[in-house]
Amino acid sequence: MNITPTAPKPRQVVSLLLLRRNTVVQTRELIDELWRESPPPSAMTTLQTYIYKLRKILLEHGNGDCLSTRPGGYMLTVPDTMVDLSRFEKEAHEGRLLLESGDSEKAARTLRSALALWRGPALLDVAHGDLLSSYVTRLEELRFRTLELRIEADLRLGHHRETISELKSLVLTHPLHEKLHASLMIALSRSGRRHEALEMYQKLRRTMIEDLGLEPGHDLRELHQSLLSDDFVHPPAEKPLHKHAPQQRRAVEPLTVPPHGTGLSKRTPRGQRPFPTQLPPDLADFTGHTAVLEKITAGLAPGDSGTQPPVTRTVAISGMPGVGKSSLAIRLAHRLRPRFEDGYLYVDLQGAAGTQATIGHVLQQLLQTLGVTPDGLPATLEEQGRMFRSLCSRTRLLMILDGASSTADVRPLLLDAPNCATIITSRRRLHGLIGVWSVEMSPLGRSESVELLRSIVGASRLDRAPRAVERLVNASGGFPPALRSIGDHLAAAPGLRIDEVAEQLLDSSGPPDMLHVGGSDLKSRFDSCYASLNRVDQSAFRLLSMLSPDGFRIGTAAGLLGVDVQDAEHTLERLVDHHLITVSHGDDGQAHYTLPQPLLNYARERLAHTLENSQATAI
């Protein structure tokens, strides 16, 4: 019996809860999925109504307990065995392993069973917001890869004639897909139609040169040569897959394309091609965020278990200024290095002087890093982006885009290559990037903050003054720059007790303030983020520091700001997007806003400075 709601938005809610089954889906994620960047004032109430109706439907069929309300969101508890998607992923993974082990017959049967579970495009009858679009992209990519493996298994079994019509249909819809063309050439040649296979290669070559300015890759050229020389025995596309075989490494072929007006450098021997290694050094005392590290590592570089990324192989890490986003991205990149043997790119979008780099300049630098000569750079931004994506299409590259201020900073740089990964960092949420997995980074927790201090000062000294350490950790707000500054002060005064140093650092007459402690650069980071706000939001941020440090609700903020609730909600959401305030939702679904201690102190300092200037002007 089909009990799925018929209305579009409840279907979106059900789809997202199912795809994220057995995990909490945040309320904010559901609202972003349903209304993107323009949620109505009634968004929370409307979402609660959808959840209520879904729970009612489930109760009527004896499954009301499977949809539960959790802090900050909702969770749909469904065993994987009851979901076709789980079965598909399992069989697709098993089929790949069977093909790698050489059991082509069983692999073909298993892969065919997996593909038979599909009834059409993913989520065909569901409207797609940004999150669901990301899942659709990932699922369709996995489906297509499974189809490629099933075709490879059939070719190994000698079913050449049976696959020709299917492959001809696929190359029509994927005119630049080299693996499909190679499979069709193999099938045609083994069916006694070598002339058609050669014609197919020439057609693909003309298309690639005209559209991309690129020659076909090494494997396809080698296959073509074997057909020309009548030496067609075991083409590269059908070589057995071995998990650790050296030939499986894919060289950076696009970095050295033969001259056809592309401006690329001349071909160098295999194994001596350009290999960009631009990663900054890892932070020696990087501490905490273990769960986030493991989650993103598993998502960007699926292991042999066959686990797939939650959305795509592009992740955007956002969080408060000074929370450690860049350090996390660099730590991730160093952990992932073995998975991306063709190189690693790093782009500082903010620049050393704090000015935002232009995308045109960034693309030109990236293209030259990948072997394009200055004379060969395309004239327009669109052409440069197309060339960049083409060069990366057959590589295993890892790229960090550090310090994005908006979606416009990164959109032309996003890769759709299946073997590449991109890590983006930003002080604000980046809306509108379809297919990008968003991760919000929080300050360090208490135990992680203490661990960072111990790495600087030493455990034995800290353990003798737990109360003073607690005060210092609370004052830091979990911001690594503040903690490192505290640690430097403690390490520089080994003869003083921890509580004595704490009294020097913290003014007991007022709230703890880490903005002006030693070498902490929190203030400069807050300054940069504050400067990116418009005047209305700057004013609101200052005034909100007058409210309770324990937090406030929308109605209280509206009264303070002198605006209606709808305008106050929009202002608060913009500040949340910039990570200058935090928001949580209780069991009643009501939003509760808070300024973390260092940001609260900063906002109060800004407010005092503004009032002093106003009084001076009045005099």
Side-chain angles (χ1 to χ4, degrees), residues 156-373:
R156 291 188 186 183
L157 292 170
H159 301 158
H160 311 110
R161 290 181 174 83
E162 294 88 336
T163 61
I164 288 176
S165 59
E166 180 183 16
L167 284 166
K168 281 192 172 184
S169 176
L170 287 170
V171 298
L172 285 175
T173 55
H174 300 83
L176 295 173
H177 198 290
E178 295 186 41
K179 180 66 182 296
L180 289 177
H181 282 78
S183 297
L184 179 55
M185 290 167 63
I186 292 168
L188 288 169
S189 178
R190 291 189 172 179
S191 301
R193 299 157 66 175
R194 188 169 54 155
H195 65 288
E196 290 185 49
L198 294 172
E199 289 175 359
M200 186 62 60
Y201 175 82
Q202 293 301 331
K203 181 180 179 181
L204 172 63
R205 182 175 180 272
R206 286 193 300 269
T207 303
M208 291 188 66
I209 291 174
E210 290 172 2
D211 292 356
L212 306 176
L214 296 174
E215 285 276 0
H218 172 80
D219 288 347
L220 200 60
R221 294 197 308 273
E222 190 174 293
L223 172 60
H224 175 242
Q225 190 60 42
S226 69
L227 292 172
L228 287 174
S229 61
D230 199 21
D231 189 27
F232 184 66
V233 179
H234 196 46
E238 286 196 317
K239 287 179 181 176
L241 298 172
H242 298 289
K243 185 180 284 188
H244 301 294
Q247 63 265 31
Q248 289 303 306
R249 184 190 186 280
R250 303 189 69 175
V252 192
E253 194 69 30
L255 304 188
T256 53
V257 179
H260 277 281
T262 63
L264 299 189
S265 58
K266 295 181 179 179
R267 183 176 303 279
T268 54
R270 182 177 294 275
Q272 300 179 21
R273 294 180 180 148
F275 184 88
T277 54
Q278 299 181 336
L279 289 187
D282 195 7
L283 200 61
D285 63 352
F286 181 90
T287 303
H289 304 294
T290 304
V292 174
L293 275 167
E294 296 299 331
K295 182 178 180 180
I296 299 178
T297 299
L300 294 186
D304 295 333
S305 64
T307 56
Q308 296 293 329
V311 279
T312 68
R313 295 182 69 152
T314 299
V315 60
I317 304 170
S318 64
M320 301 175 203
V323 80
K325 300 176 293 295
S326 297
S327 299
L328 177 68
I330 293 169
R331 168 58 60 96
L332 278 166
H334 280 276
R335 291 184 64 170
L336 292 165
R337 283 177 66 173
R339 302 295 187 104
F340 298 94
E341 66 265 30
D342 289 333
Y344 348 104
L345 299 168
Y346 175 83
V347 180
D348 183 0
L349 292 171
Q350 193 65 43
T355 56
Q356 206 68 21
T358 64
I359 293 302
H361 176 72
V362 170
L363 273 172
Q364 290 174 17
Q365 293 298 313
L366 287 171
L367 288 171
Q368 291 185 55
T369 298
L370 298 180
V372 181
T373 62

Side-chain angles (χ1 to χ4, degrees), residues 6 58 64 94 96 144-145 165 184 199-200 286 297 385 480 496 554 586 591:
T6 56
L58 292 168
E94 289 176 354
R96 179 177 66 83
F144 194 81
R145 176 57 183 151
S165 59
L184 179 55
E199 289 175 359
M200 186 62 60
F286 181 90
T297 299
L496 294 179
I554 294 176

Side-chain angles (χ1 to χ4, degrees), residues 517-540:
V517 173
S520 172
D521 61 349
L522 266 182
K523 186 176 186 303
S524 64
R525 300 187 188 203
F526 290 171
D527 283 341
S528 177
C529 193
Y530 177 81
S532 69
L533 302 176
N534 60 44
R535 291 187 176 182
V536 172
D537 292 346
Q538 287 180 347
S539 175

Side-chain angles (χ1 to χ4, degrees), residues 19 39 55 67 143 162 191 194 196 209 238 252 283 316 323 346 392 399 463 473 484 554 560 580 604:
L19 287 166
R55 188 175 281 123
L67 179 56
R143 178 190 188 183
E162 294 88 336
S191 301
R194 188 169 54 155
E196 290 185 49
I209 291 174
E238 286 196 317
V252 192
L283 200 61
V323 80
Y346 175 83
C392 297
M399 178 169 63
D463 292 344
V473 166
R484 289 194 176 90
I554 294 176
L560 175 68
L580 289 173
R604 287 174 174 174

